[in-house]
Amino acid sequence: MISLAGRDILHSWGKFVLTGIGLGLLIGATLTMAGVYRGMVDDARVLLTNSGADIWVVQKDTQGPYAEASSIRDDVYRGLLGMPGVAQAANVTYLTMQVRHGARESRSMVVGFEPGQPGEPGYLVAGRRLVRSHYEAIADVKTGFRLGDRIRIRRHDYEVVGLTQRMVSSGGDPMVFIPLKDAQEAQFLKDNDAIIADRARTAANPALNRPGVPGLLDAVTASQTINHSVNAVLVKVGAGDTAETVAQEIRRWKHLQAYTREQMEEILIAKLIATSAKQIGMFLAILTIVSAAIVAFIIYTMTLGKIREIAVLKLIGTRNRTIAGMILQQALGLGLIGFVVGKISATLWAPAFPKYVLLETADAMRALAIVMLVCALASTLAIRAALKVDPATAIGG
Amino acid sequence: MDEGIHIEGLSKRYGAGDTAVDALKDVNMRIAPGEVVGLVGPSGSGKTTLLKCLGAVIEPTRGRMILGGEVIYDSEQGGWKTKDLRALRRDRIGFIFQAPYLIPFLDVTDNVALLPMLAGRANGTSRVRALELLQALDVAHRAKAQPSELSGGEQQRVSIARALANQPPVILADEPTAPLDSQRALAVVRILNQMASQYQTAIIVVTHDEKIIPTFKRIYHIRDGRTVEEPGEGREIS
Ligand SMILES: Nc1ncnc2c1ncn2[C@@H]1O[C@H](COP(=O)(O)OP(=O)(O)OP(=O)(O)O)[C@@H](O)[C@H]1O
Ligand SMILES: [Mg+2]
C-alpha cells in the first residue's frame, strides 16, 4: 500500500510548506518564550555561582540584595569574620543606574566589591582584574562597553579594564563592577549644587554650627559625605562547615538575615521571576491554543477540499482507518514541518534578544511531543468530517 | 446460478409515512457477462437510486441482487450477505462516473493500482496489473503523469482502467459520456464494449445521451420505478 498522506503532501508541496512555515514561526515564538524563561532562571543561577559566595548576609527582615533593598553597616563584616566557619566575608553594594559612555547610555547594575573577595566577577573574557583602588571598572559584555572605554558613573569617570560575561541582574541589566569605596560614594554622591546646598543648610543649623565648638561643623560635614552602609556581605564558608549551619549562627547572633545559596536561588527564581514565569506561561498556553486552532483549521479546510476524492475513495472500498490515517499523518506532517521551522528560527533569532535566551533540548523535545499531540487532536475535527462523507455522493444525482 | 448481474423484484422506498418516496417499485434485470446494456429513463425515474442499490451504497427495501453468480442482497434472507460493503464494492463492482474523479495526488498508474493495493495486493503486482490495463486502454504512455496533465478523454480512459482493476464481474457507469462530444462519447462506448468482452464483465450504462443510445443491443427503460426491457438498435460504432 502506498502512503496516501505522503502523496498528497508531495502533490501540494508548496501549500504544505507555506502553511508549515507559518505554523513554524508561531512554534518558534513559543520556543523562544520558553527560552526567555529558561534564560532568566539560568541568569539567576550563574549570577549566584559567579559571585563566589556561600551565604548572603543582608538587613534583617529583607530579602535583599537582589529582591529587596537592604542596607547594613560596612563594619559588620568584621564581626562575621570572627565567627566559626566563616572563611571570607566581604562587603558588596548594588545600584541600578544609567552608565554613560560618550553619547551612549547603558542601564546597568553597578556592583561595588573588594578585589580578591567574594563578589568579584568569576572570570574575565578580556582584560584584567582591578589593580588600582579607584576609577577602574569591569563590565559585562552585554553593556556594549569595550576595553579602554571611559565610562561615567555619577560624577567620576572609570576606565574599563576587564570584560566579563553572564553577569546580569534579575531585571536583565548587565553589571559593571567598580571598587567598593567608589561604589559606596556613588550611592551617596549628589551633584555639586546639592552638596553646596546641603553644606549651607548644615551651616545654618545652630545646633551643628556652634560658635563655642570649633571644628564641629567640619566634622559634621565630613560625616555627611561618607557613606557607611553596604547592601550585603558575601560570606564564604570554610572547609568542613555547611553553609546552613553557619547561616543559622549568623541569624542567631547578629540580628541579620543570612541566606544560603539554595535560599537565594529560591528567592530569585520562585519569588523574583515568578510573575514573569506566569506571564510567560500564559503566553505559552495562548500560543499553544492558537497553533492548535490554526492546525485544526488548515487540516479541516484541506479535508473539505478533498470531499469528492474522499467519497470516491470510500466508494471504491477504502477503509475509514486508511482515510483517518491519511488525515492524521498530514496533520502530523504539518506539525513536523512546523516544529523544524520553529526550532531553526528560534535558534537563529535567539541571540538577537537583549536578554539571554536559553533554548534547551529537553524543552524542544517537550515542544515536539506537544506539537504532535496538538496536531493529532486538531485533526480529529477533519477526520470526523471525512468519516461522515457518504460514498453515495460520488454517484451523481 | 447465473453469472453477470441478476436483479429480481427490487424496490426502494426513501423515508417513511406521508413523505415516503417509492423511487424503485419493481426492478428486474439480467445482464450476462461481457454484455453492455443501457439504462435510460426520464428525470426522477430512479436511475441513480438503482445504481446506488447495485453499488451497495444504499440498502434496497425489497428484492434480490446477484452479482457474478453470488447473492449479495436478499431482503427475504436478512438483507446484505456481507457486513463489509466496502470490500464488496472494492472486489466485485467497478465504478465509472460522469467525470473521471481521479485522485489528483496519485499518478496515473497508482490511480489504477490503488484498487488492488486496497485489496491487499503487493505494490509491484498492483502496478503491473495497472500497466496492463492502461496498455489495453491506450494510455500507457501517460502512466507516470499526474491526472491534471491528461486530456479529458485520457482521464476518462484511466477511470475505466480503474473500474477494471480488480476484475469485478460488474461495472456501473453513471452517465460516462455526458460531458463528451459525440465522437469521444462513441469512443468511450466502443472501449466499454471491448473491455466487457475482453474481461467478461457485465456493464450497465446509465445515460441520457442520445448519441450513444442507438449503440446498445439491449436497453432497460425505467419509468416511475419500474423497468421495461427493449431491444436496442445495436448500431456498430465506426
Ligand atoms: N435521498 C433521497 N431521499 C428522498 N427521495 C429521494 C432521494 N434520492 C432520490 N429521491 C427521489 O427518488 C426518485 C428517484 O430519484 P433518482 O435520483 O434515482 O432519479 P434519476 O432517475 O437519477 O433522475 P435524474 O435523471 O434526474 O438524475 C425521485 O423522485 C427523487 O426525488
Ligand atoms: Mg440521476
Side-chain angles (χ1 to χ4, degrees), chain A residues 396-397, chain B residues 14-15 19 21-24 41-50 52 174-175 206 208 222:
Chain B
Y14 287 113
T19 56
V21 177
D22 285 304
L24 300 178
S43 183
S45 56
K47 302 182 295 293
T48 300
T49 304
L50 178 54
K52 285 179 179 173
D174 182 19
E175 312 254 12
V206 169
H208 278 115
I222 181 164

Side-chain angles (χ1 to χ4, degrees), chain A residues 1-2 4 7-8 11 306 308-309 312-320 326 391-392 394-397, chain B residues 48 52 57 84 86-87 89-90 95 97 101 103-106 110 114-115 117-118 123 127 146 162 174:
Chain A
M1 187 61 197
I2 45 179
L4 294 176
R7 295 306 182 87
D8 193 16
H11 182 254
K306 284 198 290 272
R308 170 129 269 157
E309 284 79 20
V312 171
L313 282 172
K314 282 185 163 184
L315 185 70
I316 65 177
T318 312
R319 307 241 163 245
N320 277 347
M326 171 173 94
I395 302 175
Chain B
T48 300
K52 285 179 179 173
V57 288
D84 193 353
R86 285 192 204 208
R89 294 199 294 267
R90 182 189 69 205
F95 292 93
F97 314 101
Y101 293 163
I103 306 301
F105 49 82
L106 299 179
D110 283 346
L114 180 63
L115 270 108
M117 287 178 190
L118 287 174
N123 291 1
R127 292 204 174 107
Q146 296 295 310
R162 175 173 68 185
D174 182 19

Side-chain angles (χ1 to χ4, degrees), chain A residues 178-195:
Chain A
I178 61 174
L180 182 73
K181 288 275 173 263
D182 290 354
Q184 277 179 293
E185 201 186 337
Q187 278 198 335
F188 195 68
L189 260 192
K190 298 155 188 157
D191 59 72
N192 289 332
D193 287 349
I195 291 170

Side-chain angles (χ1 to χ4, degrees), chain A residues 250-380:
Chain A
I250 295 173
R251 274 176 230 135
R252 176 129 50 112
W253 296 109
K254 294 290 176 190
H255 297 288
L256 293 167
Q257 180 59 274
Y259 294 111
T260 62
R261 158 82 204 234
E262 286 71 42
Q263 291 166 332
M264 212 59 215
E265 202 168 307
E266 168 77 10
I267 290 173
L268 274 181
I269 293 165
K271 297 192 177 150
L272 207 52
I273 58 181
T275 317
S276 310
K278 278 184 206 138
Q279 187 105 334
I280 288 171
M282 273 306 290
F283 252 116
L284 290 182
I286 291 171
L287 285 172
T288 309
I289 293 169
V290 171
S291 312
I294 289 180
V295 175
F297 176 75
I298 289 167
I299 293 292
Y300 189 68
T301 334
M302 280 182 171
T303 305
L304 286 193
K306 284 198 290 272
I307 286 296
R308 170 129 269 157
E309 284 79 20
I310 290 171
V312 171
L313 282 172
K314 282 185 163 184
L315 185 70
I316 65 177
T318 312
R319 307 241 163 245
N320 277 347
R321 203 183 333 120
T322 312
I323 291 169
M326 171 173 94
I327 296 169
L328 177 66
Q329 285 169 40
Q330 288 182 337
L332 295 182
L334 199 61
L336 202 63
I337 296 177
F339 175 77
V340 171
V341 171
K343 180 79 186 103
I344 292 173
S345 45
T347 310
L348 288 181
W349 68 44
F353 275 71
K355 283 213 210 176
Y356 182 56
V357 176
L358 175 60
L359 300 171
E360 286 188 350
T361 313
D363 281 344
M365 289 303 109
R366 230 167 278 141
L368 177 62
I370 293 172
V371 167
M372 287 312 185
L373 188 71
V374 162
C375 285
L377 288 178
S379 70
T380 53

Side-chain angles (χ1 to χ4, degrees), chain A residues 188-205 208 217 220-221 224-225:
Chain A
F188 195 68
L189 260 192
K190 298 155 188 157
D191 59 72
N192 289 332
D193 287 349
I195 291 170
I196 290 166
D198 265 358
R199 283 191 187 148
R201 216 168 287 134
T202 311
N205 187 338
L208 300 176
L217 180 62
V220 170
T221 311
Q224 279 177 344
T225 50

Side-chain angles (χ1 to χ4, degrees), chain A residues 4-296:
Chain A
L4 294 176
R7 295 306 182 87
D8 193 16
I9 292 175
L10 285 179
H11 182 254
S12 37
W13 183 237
K15 187 165 82 179
F16 229 83
V17 166
L18 275 184
T19 330
I21 288 176
L23 180 65
L25 294 178
L26 203 62
I27 293 173
T30 314
L31 286 173
T32 312
M33 289 309 290
V36 166
Y37 171 70
R38 296 286 180 209
M40 283 164 61
V41 171
D42 198 60
D43 271 347
R45 294 219 171 98
V46 170
L47 172 66
L48 297 180
T49 306
N50 286 358
S51 64
D54 296 321
I55 298 172
W56 281 253
V57 180
V58 298
Q59 184 182 338
K60 199 166 168 49
D61 299 327
T62 72
Q63 300 192 341
Y66 311 114
E68 280 180 347
S70 149
S71 173
I72 52 182
R73 300 289 296 174
D74 64 0
D75 52 6
V76 161
Y77 81 98
R78 289 206 198 100
L80 291 174
L81 271 176
M83 294 186 67
V86 174
Q88 281 181 301
N91 288 327
V92 280
T93 65
Y94 298 96
L95 178 63
T96 300
M97 57 182 295
Q98 300 294 120
V99 174
R100 269 175 297 143
H101 171 240
R104 271 196 51 222
E105 274 195 351
S106 162
R107 185 170 178 74
S108 308
M109 180 177 262
V110 174
V111 183
F113 74 104
E114 291 177 287
Q117 296 288 332
E120 182 172 33
Y123 62 101
L124 301 183
V125 289
R128 57 168 173 81
R129 303 192 169 275
L130 303 194
V131 291
R132 288 193 288 143
S133 50
H134 287 295
Y135 310 132
E136 286 188 342
I138 294 171
D140 186 279
V141 287
K142 285 252 176 184
T143 55
F145 301 145
R146 272 168 304 183
L147 287 183
D149 279 355
R150 298 198 69 78
I151 57 177
R152 192 166 185 86
I153 297 170
R154 289 279 150 88
R155 290 198 334 220
H156 297 294
D157 281 337
Y158 294 76
E159 187 188 348
V160 177
V161 296
L163 292 176
T164 184
Q165 66 176 12
R166 299 299 312 280
M167 294 298 286
V168 299
S169 75
S170 52
D173 306 317
M175 293 184 166
V176 174
F177 295 83
I178 61 174
L180 182 73
K181 288 275 173 263
D182 290 354
Q184 277 179 293
E185 201 186 337
Q187 278 198 335
F188 195 68
L189 260 192
K190 298 155 188 157
D191 59 72
N192 289 332
D193 287 349
I195 291 170
I196 290 166
D198 265 358
R199 283 191 187 148
R201 216 168 287 134
T202 311
N205 187 338
L208 300 176
N209 191 6
R210 294 190 199 165
V213 189
L216 175 62
L217 180 62
D218 291 339
V220 170
T221 311
S223 84
Q224 279 177 344
T225 50
I226 296 170
N227 174 12
H228 285 294
S229 55
V230 293
N231 300 115
V233 177
L234 303 189
V235 169
K236 207 147 176 65
V237 172
D241 286 288
T242 67
E244 183 47 44
T245 50
V246 176
Q248 264 172 19
E249 290 299 299
I250 295 173
R251 274 176 230 135
R252 176 129 50 112
W253 296 109
K254 294 290 176 190
H255 297 288
L256 293 167
Q257 180 59 274
Y259 294 111
T260 62
R261 158 82 204 234
E262 286 71 42
Q263 291 166 332
M264 212 59 215
E265 202 168 307
E266 168 77 10
I267 290 173
L268 274 181
I269 293 165
K271 297 192 177 150
L272 207 52
I273 58 181
T275 317
S276 310
K278 278 184 206 138
Q279 187 105 334
I280 288 171
M282 273 306 290
F283 252 116
L284 290 182
I286 291 171
L287 285 172
T288 309
I289 293 169
V290 171
S291 312
I294 289 180
V295 175

